[in-house]
Amino acid sequence: EAQVTQNPRYLITVTGKKLTVTCSQNMNHEYMSWYRQDPGLGLRQIYYSMNVEVTDKGDVPEGYKVSRKEKRNFPLILESPSPNQTSLYFCASSGRYGYTFGSGTRLTVV
Amino acid sequence: AQSVTQLDSQVPVFEEAPVELRCNYSSSVSVYLFWYVQYPNQGLQLLLKYLSGSTLVKGINGFEAEFNKSQTSFHLRKPSVHISDTAEYFCAVSSSSNDYKLSFGAGTTVTVRA
């Protein structure tokens, strides 16, 4: 089944403790992207990647890092999480013409 | 850069009634347009997309949308809704030359009542 898999689904962490949210896709897509969803703001793009080793900032990149060492994986790294990064995060991949989204990771930073 | 405005944050509707969700976009270049649906506690699912050609686009679950270039709109419609259509709906736009950069509207919550 074609899908984007994120882990974990839920995560509660403390301020400053580094964490990684993994994302993997099995569709051989070139494009991958991370979004955060906040009430009243819709989805905002954090980072995107056009291919292996090619990444670029989206609209809200501050406080996040990404890497794209393999085509199928695109982890999101929070080196020092802060409470304002509490949000619902989605990974997505696209061949062309529209993204396929993962099920989301609900992150709470206390 | 492109942006999207969804004109209604909440739309209550009775079962079997029609619904229209309004979406306007701004862009200086040609665009691709999308509607996504998010059911409670789930990810986003593509409802339909406009890339080129016919301005009336049909999607899944009986939804359709019409692209209007002069009014820069892409409104979503369904002639008769069901309880199961209760969800949040997002309009999104990308430029046709950079279609990996997808910009979303703030979302419209549709609540269908019996």
Side-chain angles (χ1 to χ4, degrees):
Chain A
E1 179 189 354
Q3 59 185 359
V4 177
T5 303
Q6 293 178 233
N7 281 297
R9 286 293 306 275
Y10 300 92
L11 179 59
I12 301 174
T13 190
V14 296
T15 299
K17 184 177 181 181
K18 181 180 178 180
L19 65 92
T20 300
V21 183
T22 64
C23 174
S24 179
Q25 52 99 357
N26 63 1
M27 295 167 280
N28 201 36
H29 284 165
E30 290 186 347
Y31 300 154
M32 296 188 76
S33 186
W34 276 102
Y35 288 84
R36 62 178 287 173
Q37 183 181 8
D38 301 290
L41 297 177
L43 281 84
R44 294 178 292 167
Q45 195 173 44
I46 303 171
Y47 270 94
Y48 59 93
S49 170
M50 291 157 281
N51 213 325
V52 175
E53 303 292 2
V54 183
T55 62
D56 205 351
K57 296 177 181 178
D59 299 316
V60 288
E62 294 77 21
Y64 304 95
K65 285 177 58 177
V66 294
S67 69
R68 187 97 182 270
K69 294 184 170 57
E70 305 166 277
K71 198 171 189 178
R72 63 182 290 123
N73 295 324
F74 191 45
L76 179 70
I77 302 157
L78 285 72
E79 296 259 352
S80 183
S82 62
N84 64 12
Q85 293 178 296
T86 292
S87 187
L88 179 58
Y89 291 86
F90 288 101
C91 180
S93 74
S94 172
R96 289 298 301 273
Y97 315 137
Y99 277 97
T100 299
F101 284 81
S103 298
T105 296
R106 187 167 293 281
L107 172 65
T108 302
V109 183
V110 298
Chain B
Q2 57 274 353
S3 64
V4 175
T5 301
Q6 292 182 241
L7 298 168
D8 307 290
S9 59
Q10 308 228 3
V11 174
V13 59
F14 286 107
E15 193 173 20
E16 298 183 9
V19 71
E20 178 180 79
L21 308 185
R22 297 179 294 165
C23 171
N24 287 348
Y25 70 93
S26 66
S27 177
S28 57
V29 297
S30 61
V31 296
Y32 296 150
L33 291 156
F34 307 84
W35 276 99
Y36 285 86
V37 60
Q38 184 179 31
Y39 299 106
N41 299 314
Q42 294 188 26
L44 279 78
Q45 179 181 0
L46 182 65
L47 271 179
L48 50 79
K49 59 189 175 190
Y50 170 80
L51 304 178
S52 65
S54 173
T55 57
L56 183 62
V57 180
K58 293 191 183 298
I60 62 171
N61 300 341
F63 283 93
E64 64 180 32
E66 185 150 21
F67 171 59
N68 188 317
K69 188 175 181 179
S70 63
Q71 297 190 1
T72 61
S73 67
F74 191 55
H75 300 335
L76 180 71
R77 301 184 183 94
K78 185 171 182 177
S80 176
V81 296
H82 304 289
I83 298 288
S84 59
D85 291 319
T86 294
E88 190 160 20
Y89 293 80
F90 292 96
C91 183
V93 64
S94 68
S95 78
S96 56
S97 57
N98 288 328
D99 61 323
Y100 45 81
K101 186 158 175 52
L102 193 60
S103 298
F104 284 83
T108 298
T109 300
V110 173
T111 304
V112 181
R113 303 167 181 168

